[in-house]
Amino acid sequence: MSTFIVQPGGRLAGEARVPGDKSISHRAIMLGALANGVTRVSGFLEGADCIATLEAFRAMGVRIERHGPGDVEIHGVGLDGLKAPQGPLDMGNSGTAMRLLCGVLAGQAFDSELIGDRSLSGRPMRRVTEPLAHMGARIDTSEAGTPPLRVHGGATLRGTDHQLAVASAQVKSALLLAGLWAEGRTCVTEPAPTRDHTERMLAGFGYAVERDGARACVKGGGTLSASPVDVPADISSAAFFLVGASIATGSRMRLEHVGMNPTRTGVIDILRLMGAGIRVLDAREAGGEPVADLEVEASTLKGIQIPEHLVPLAIDEFPAIFVAAACAEGETVLTGAGELRVKESDRIQVMADGLAALGVDCAVQTDGIRIQGGGGFAGGEVDSHGDHRIAMSFAMAGLRAREPVRIRDCANVGTSFPGFVELARRAGLQLEEA
Ligand code: S3P
């Protein structure tokens, strides 16, 4: 079990390109595998989560070659070309892999089983299995609605017109993917905008997606055509450095080729509302997704009431935002974020426990948290509960700590950010792994 030890103080400086976007990397493997032709992916995230997706498609007969760092070639088998896997498909720590694959597998002729690690095995899956069942899929969960999932092959899927109960791109994507094999149209309406990488990439692979405000629809029976995918750097990984450089006096960093899809940039909006100095430079487009370079410098932050409409647009960045809030003058209040409780860990409780262990005054609420900022961190020991984003967020807290910060259970950092320790050290974090 790996532990991070961060010496107090320091600053962040220099230029960095953080690894590829996790959400886009998963989808590139999935659509590449289901397309006709060969898809070349550059900037692919070689973290454990996306490798789980890659291995799952290999297990279903798709030839996928890795030519070099981030350079992957997928020999698509078409929408009817997947083969029955020999055993259960292990999705590791990845909710995205499991939920999106559930949509894909619902439309196959063969039976399959999806399993995951301890964290994933406790996460809610009925949010995908129930609407998929409504389309005609047959999927068994545990009694608690959690993995393992047994997907019965040979179901006839019917299109649906589904109103999402929670703002979840994973559920939306699972239904749209199942819709590729369904009779007629499958439409999904979301209660608030969520990441739209699936819709964009389907369109990029030549599959018509009708989009009208909060509603996206696909018609079954089409084909996907292989298309190169240039994966931008993950804004969710850049977020740790946006926060670290904002809170540590004298910092200035440039983050290159960061994905700037407007359904993902809530972290920039929230940090700017808190007073952060973040500049967006050279905004451009790469493979159907907006990208830019980001420049961030240390600033005096202030506590805010986080606008609820920004919550789904920053859903993975709250652990890092909480660290910023602890360094801001005054109180930061988050509401409408109950979804944080069903991520890789209960991110409200686990962050609150860690903040309290580092001497930060905070109060947990059902769907959010209140953080009293201004004091920085005393130092001490926190437990990440195997949650990669919590581990990396508390690593940044070391920049404003008075004593060393020890973070337990950090091995899962490799699910989303391979090379984090080296990159963070190069940028100036006094971080060691034990
Ligand atoms: C993701 C969607 C989000 C996010 C996750 C990745 C995706 O989950 O938290 O890390 O790639 O679709 P929800 O859609 O469940 O909020």
Side-chain angles (χ1 to χ4, degrees):
M1 204 185 269
S2 124
T3 299
F4 284 176
I5 303 147
V6 193
Q7 296 306 318
R11 63 191 176 95
L12 299 183
E15 292 170 5
R17 178 167 170 160
V18 299
D21 188 279
K22 184 149 73 76
S23 295
I24 297 176
S25 295
H26 280 299
R27 287 156 172 85
I29 297 290
M30 293 182 191
L31 297 197
L34 296 169
N36 296 326
V38 177
T39 290
R40 193 83 180 231
V41 185
S42 56
F44 176 72
L45 171 62
E46 306 202 343
D49 278 11
C50 298
I51 300 292
T53 293
L54 185 154
E55 291 299 344
F57 280 92
R58 276 185 175 161
M60 291 189 285
V62 182
R63 200 169 112 219
I64 305 178
E65 286 158 18
R66 292 167 73 182
H67 291 294
D71 181 359
V72 176
E73 192 175 78
I74 309 160
H75 296 258
V77 295
L79 282 170
D80 296 317
L82 294 181
K83 298 205 167 62
Q86 292 302 303
L89 300 170
D90 188 351
M91 300 294 104
N93 191 243
S94 178
T96 307
M98 184 169 287
R99 295 196 178 113
L100 270 59
L101 258 178
C102 208
V104 169
L105 294 171
Q108 304 307 314
F110 51 82
D111 295 347
S112 52
E113 185 178 7
L114 292 166
I115 59 171
D117 72 3
R118 197 160 145 233
S119 153
L120 184 54
S121 298
R123 295 181 67 185
M125 291 298 148
R126 288 205 179 109
R127 52 179 60 197
V128 283
T129 59
E130 283 179 356
L132 287 171
H134 195 71
M135 295 175 72
R138 288 178 303 136
I139 306 169
D140 305 328
T141 67
S142 77
E143 236 165 66
T146 54
L149 303 181
R150 291 197 181 79
V151 188
H152 300 271
T156 303
L157 300 186
R158 301 173 296 274
T160 187
D161 195 348
H162 186 77
Q163 171 78 48
L164 291 180
V166 282
S168 166
Q170 293 180 353
V171 182
K172 171 177 67 174
S173 300
L175 300 185
L176 291 175
L177 289 172
L180 304 181
W181 290 275
E183 287 164 8
R185 283 167 96 219
T186 298
C187 296
V188 188
T189 305
E190 48 190 6
T194 68
R195 65 193 70 194
D196 65 353
H197 306 300
T198 303
E199 297 92 305
R200 284 174 186 254
M201 204 181 288
L202 281 170
F205 277 67
Y207 207 104
V209 181
E210 293 165 52
R211 301 180 71 179
D212 180 12
R215 196 155 183 257
C217 306
V218 294
K219 246 207 235 137
T223 50
L224 292 163
S225 307
S227 171
V229 181
D230 171 11
V231 183
D234 198 328
I235 189 168
S236 299
S237 297
F240 305 110
F241 295 92
L242 294 178
V243 167
S246 295
I247 63 174
T249 312
S251 298
R252 186 187 198 93
M253 268 199 93
R254 188 181 171 101
L255 297 156
E256 287 158 1
H257 206 70
V258 179
M260 290 290 286
N261 182 311
T263 59
R264 297 285 300 281
T265 49
V267 61
I268 296 179
D269 299 329
I270 292 169
L271 290 175
R272 278 181 170 162
L273 286 172
M274 296 175 79
I278 301 172
R279 292 205 301 149
V280 176
L281 305 168
D282 195 12
R284 53 203 186 268
E285 175 127 341
E289 292 277 350
V291 297
D293 299 332
L294 300 179
E295 220 168 63
V296 53
E297 59 186 348
S299 307
T300 305
L301 301 181
K302 61 176 196 297
I304 58 164
Q305 165 86 48
I306 297 173
E308 284 198 7
H309 76 271
L310 292 177
V311 169
L313 310 181
I315 194 68
D316 290 336
E317 287 69 71
F318 283 104
I321 291 168
F322 292 176
V323 166
C327 300
E329 289 302 325
E331 190 180 48
T332 294
V333 181
L334 172 68
T335 54
E339 273 298 293
L340 292 181
R341 292 195 179 272
V342 290
K343 295 296 179 187
E344 286 82 331
S345 70
D346 174 345
R347 286 185 174 159
I348 294 178
Q349 192 59 52
V350 174
M351 281 303 296
D353 291 346
L355 290 170
L358 298 182
V360 178
D361 181 9
C362 58
V364 164
Q365 277 146 1
T366 329
D367 67 342
I369 193 167
R370 303 176 87 90
I371 298 171
Q372 205 57 54
F377 306 95
E381 181 159 303
V382 302
D383 190 336
S384 80
H385 285 259
D387 187 322
H388 54 133
R389 298 201 195 281
I390 288 184
M392 291 184 273
S393 299
F394 279 124
M396 293 299 162
L399 291 160
R400 281 286 292 273
R402 293 181 287 284
E403 298 287 335
V405 175
R406 286 178 70 92
I407 309 149
R408 282 201 305 265
D409 203 358
C410 296
N412 279 338
V413 162
T415 60
S416 68
F417 202 145
F420 171 75
V421 171
E422 296 72 25
L423 202 155
R425 285 166 63 107
R426 251 198 330 274
L429 200 67
Q430 301 169 71
L431 167 62
E432 268 166 49
E433 194 170 9

